[in-house]
Amino acid sequence: DGGITQSPKYLFRKEGQNVTLSCEQNLNHDAMYWYRQDPGQGLRLIYYSQIVNDFQKGDIAEGYSVSREKKESFPLTVTSAQKNPTAFYLCASSRYSGGYNEQFFGPGTRLTVL
Amino acid sequence: QKEVEQNSGPLSVPEGAIASLNCTYSDRGSQSFFWYRQYSGKSPELIMSIYSNGDKEDGRFTAQLNKASQYVSLLIRDSQPSDSATYLCAVFRGRDHGMNYGGSQGNLIFGKGTKLSVKP
């Protein structure tokens, strides 16, 4: 089955810890994205990547880091510098970047800071 | 002015009725428009995309776009209880339109969503 997978489904972090969220896709999509969703808020873009070994900051990149070493994978690290990391994290991909390309989402990771 | 605005609802309709969900956007240069459905606790699922003025129909769903009025809507005919969810409007804004978009320039901007409840 083609699709986007994210792991883990739930993640608990102690304050001061860095954690890494996994996102993998087998759709052969060039572009991948990370969003954050808070209750009552729209999705906000953290980072995106249009091609392997390249990525750009979104609206709320502070306290996060990413890598894109393989086309299929776009992991997100939530660092201790992120002041309020508790949120629902969503990874998405699209065939190409740009406005006429539909984005499809993975199942999400729910991160809670203890 | 918020870039993509939706009424948060809840919008309550009886089973079998037409549900009408609305979305306005602020950037006249926006190129493409998407509707996602999100069930509670789940990730968004793409249900419609529309790129040109007019109507686009797909099964019980119709998306309507009016670029002059900067308005996009989603109609759900014969609403079912299984349609109860939050519907997210997303707008792709292009680059270089004289506005400071920050890091999301050239990407999707999401509204906060409208919660729809279909009563049996």
Side-chain angles (χ1 to χ4, degrees):
Chain A
D1 284 338
I4 305 170
T5 58
Q6 292 186 242
S7 63
K9 186 174 181 179
Y10 298 97
L11 185 57
F12 299 91
R13 192 195 91 169
K14 294 181 181 179
E15 288 201 25
Q17 278 185 335
N18 292 354
V19 292
T20 297
L21 283 58
S22 170
C23 177
E24 304 275 335
Q25 54 95 3
N26 61 3
L27 300 168
N28 199 32
H29 284 176
D30 284 348
M32 298 185 75
Y33 312 81
W34 275 105
Y35 292 91
R36 168 182 173 143
Q37 188 176 36
D38 296 279
Q41 299 287 326
L43 276 69
R44 292 182 290 168
L45 183 65
I46 304 172
Y47 268 99
Y48 65 102
S49 169
Q50 297 171 308
I51 196 168
V52 174
N53 292 322
D54 187 48
F55 49 83
Q56 287 80 40
K57 294 181 178 180
D59 289 327
I60 55 166
E62 185 175 350
Y64 300 97
S65 65
V66 294
S67 63
R68 186 86 186 275
E69 297 176 1
K70 299 186 300 182
K71 186 175 185 177
E72 302 80 15
S73 179
F74 191 40
L76 173 74
T77 296
V78 184
T79 75
S80 57
Q82 169 50 235
K83 299 304 179 190
N84 185 20
T86 295
F88 189 35
Y89 289 87
L90 291 156
C91 178
S93 71
S94 62
R95 181 64 184 94
Y96 303 107
S97 62
Y100 299 99
N101 291 277
E102 299 163 336
Q103 291 187 19
F104 300 93
F105 285 87
T109 292
R110 202 166 293 275
L111 174 63
T112 302
V113 173
L114 302 174
Chain B
Q1 183 183 6
K2 296 179 182 176
E3 295 190 64
V4 178
E5 288 203 61
Q6 297 181 253
N7 188 323
S8 62
L11 173 65
S12 184
V13 300
E15 184 174 356
I18 296 175
S20 178
L21 304 160
N22 304 315
C23 174
T24 58
Y25 59 94
S26 58
D27 180 13
R28 279 195 179 276
S30 297
Q31 301 173 1
S32 47
F33 308 85
F34 305 90
W35 283 100
Y36 287 83
R37 177 176 62 198
Q38 186 174 25
Y39 292 114
S40 181
K42 303 296 185 182
S43 63
E45 172 192 8
L46 179 67
I47 53 172
M48 289 288 285
S49 57
I50 186 166
Y51 306 114
S52 55
N53 279 330
D55 294 359
K56 179 182 177 183
E57 187 174 318
D58 184 0
R60 295 186 297 112
F61 299 100
T62 299
Q64 299 175 318
L65 175 61
N66 183 327
K67 288 188 177 180
S69 300
Q70 296 175 234
Y71 176 96
V72 57
S73 64
L74 180 70
L75 301 178
I76 307 175
R77 291 182 300 281
D78 189 24
S79 296
Q80 302 297 309
S82 59
D83 295 325
S84 298
T86 296
Y87 289 81
L88 305 177
C89 172
V91 175
F92 181 86
R93 63 183 177 197
R95 304 174 189 268
D96 302 322
H97 291 295
M99 296 177 69
N100 178 16
Y101 292 141
S104 290
Q105 190 176 38
N107 272 300
L108 283 183
I109 304 300
F110 285 82
K112 294 184 178 181
T114 297
K115 187 171 183 179
L116 173 66
S117 177
V118 181
K119 303 293 187 185

